[in-house]
Every structure is written in C-alpha cells, then in structure tokens.
Amino acid sequence: MGRSNRAGRARPPAGPDATAAADETAPPGGRSHGQGPLVRPVDSGTAELRPDRDRPRGWHLLLDGAPQSMVDLDDPTHLGFEYQRRIGHLIDLAAPPGRPISVLHLGGGALTLARYTAATRPRSRQQVAEIDTALTELVRSQLPLERGWQIRVRGADARSVLERAPEGGADLVIADVFAGARVPAHCATTEFAALAARALAPGGRLVVNIADGSALAFARAQAATLRAVFPEVCLVADPAVLRGKRFGNLVMAAAATPLPVEELGRRVATDAQLGRIEHGRGLVDFTAGAAPVADAAAVPSPAPPPGVFR
C-alpha cells in the first residue's frame, strides 16, 4: 500500500458501466490505455487497474480502493510510490551495481519491486509469496513479466513461505505484506523477524514496509520488535508521517551487519518527496519505550482513516 507521487496520478474510472464493460483481453505486451480501466473480483476483494495519467504504459493497482502498486510496462525501473522508491534504494545498495542477488518478496501485488530488481540486477533469483492467486493471475495476464526474468510466484501465506525458506539463502527479504490496507498481525512479530533473520545470507538485509499514523503506536512497536532481533535497524519515512501529521508508509531495514545509512540518506535526499532517516539513538528515541511484540500479543496495523486515499 502506498502513496503515489504528484507526477504519477491514476485516471479516475469513467464510471461503473465503463469499468464493468472494459476489455479484459490484454495484447501480448500487456494492457493498453485504450482498453480503459479494469475491475475484477479477486480472492482478497476487488482489484482495479487504472491507467496512469502521465505514463502511456503506466498502471495503478488498487485493492478495495486502496493504492497497492504502480507499474510502467515500458520502464520497470520506474517506482511511482514513495515507499517503493525507498525500498528501491535498499535494493540498489544490497550489492555492487548490476550484480545478481537472491530476493524473497513477502507480498507481491503487481510485482513492482520484483520487476525493478530483475531490470536493475539481471539474473537475480526471486521468489514471491502472494496469497491472492486470483490477483497474481490478473497481474500476469494484464501486466505480464518479461521473458527471462527469474521470478517465481507462490500462492501461499507470506509467513508460511518464510518458515520454509532455506536457511541463509536470501540476500534480501522484502516484507510488503498487507491484507487490504493493514499489515497482518502474524507478519509483525519477533517470531516473524527471527524467521527472516534465519533466511538471510551473511550480510543480508530485511526490508519491511508498514503503514501507520497519528500516535504511531504500531510503527514504534515494530521498530522495537526489529531491534529485539537485529543489532542494526533504521527507519525511513516522510517527516509529516513521523510527526503523526498524516497516515503513511514507513520503511524499515534491519541486518546483523552495519547498514549503509549515510549512502541511503544521500539517495533519499534526491527523491521528490521529503524523507527522514532514524537510526541509532534517534531510532531508540522514536520507539519511545515501546516493547517488542510477540505472536501472543500481536495486532494488525491500524486501518487507514476514512478518505485518506481520495
């Protein structure tokens, strides 16, 4: 779930009759804007593909009205949501430029981050856990992946896939898991983080995307949860989100070895949206005494306020 940049706006649907009557057959290269938006029921609710106003081959994926992903079929390196750009920076910093890596994506959506990795790091081996198989079928048919990309999608719960992941097999574990617009409780605990730590290769990193607002109780608890498992943790978010002024995404990175905080900060500073990094003492202060969350006490992230996606 995320917020798009000002230059990546989705066209509103022309009306319920137009979306219902839209052509569902995409040409081999993917859906064209001329076919219009597409609404289809999937396992987790109602999925909608909307054309991007500024990119001739750009598409926005919404689930039950909540923005989930943005894909440009002409440019898989384009990341239209601010949280995706921040994760993109961490993908870029995972190894020397162009070197293939092994990535486990927990949560798939439109496979935006897997596409980005495949385009910027050819021959990377990627596995995606996406529980909504109908959504995956929709994405594959309308927004197809390029041939040669080594992306395997498994229709299963993210945590169950993580539990079966080979020990030390992933350079990156990217947890972008949402049920609707909320992070599921069982994917936000110390046990979940420990499973991710087990799956990481030496020097590997866990990247987590969550959403919160107002008092940021969930985000503070998540920071404490990751700090209970990993010696190195940092957080990136819009300063307005960190002040509780608006609901939005927070990206956290965790590792057993030092994180590239300075270089990440330089890259975040080039983004169109403001971003602030909390690390070390600043992150400890951000947690504000929050306790790590175990399975027995886990709760999902808060629901977005009404109208936040309008």
Side-chain angles (χ1 to χ4, degrees), residues 78-138:
H78 174 72
L79 299 174
F81 288 172
E82 60 188 40
Y83 88 87
Q84 291 178 334
R85 288 192 296 280
R86 290 163 186 161
I87 296 177
H89 295 323
L90 289 162
I91 293 171
D92 293 343
L93 293 171
R99 178 182 294 179
I101 58 176
S102 176
V103 187
L104 174 58
H105 299 265
L106 304 176
L111 306 175
T112 303
L113 293 169
R115 297 170 197 264
Y116 179 85
T117 304
T120 60
R121 296 185 175 280
R123 303 182 306 282
S124 290
R125 293 179 295 107
Q126 302 187 76
Q127 181 176 183
V128 182
E130 174 53 66
I131 196 170
D132 193 330
T133 56
L135 175 62
T136 298
E137 291 172 3
L138 172 66

Side-chain angles (χ1 to χ4, degrees), residues 210-224:
I210 64 170
D212 201 0
S214 189
L216 298 171
F218 184 82
R220 298 182 200 280
Q222 283 307 291

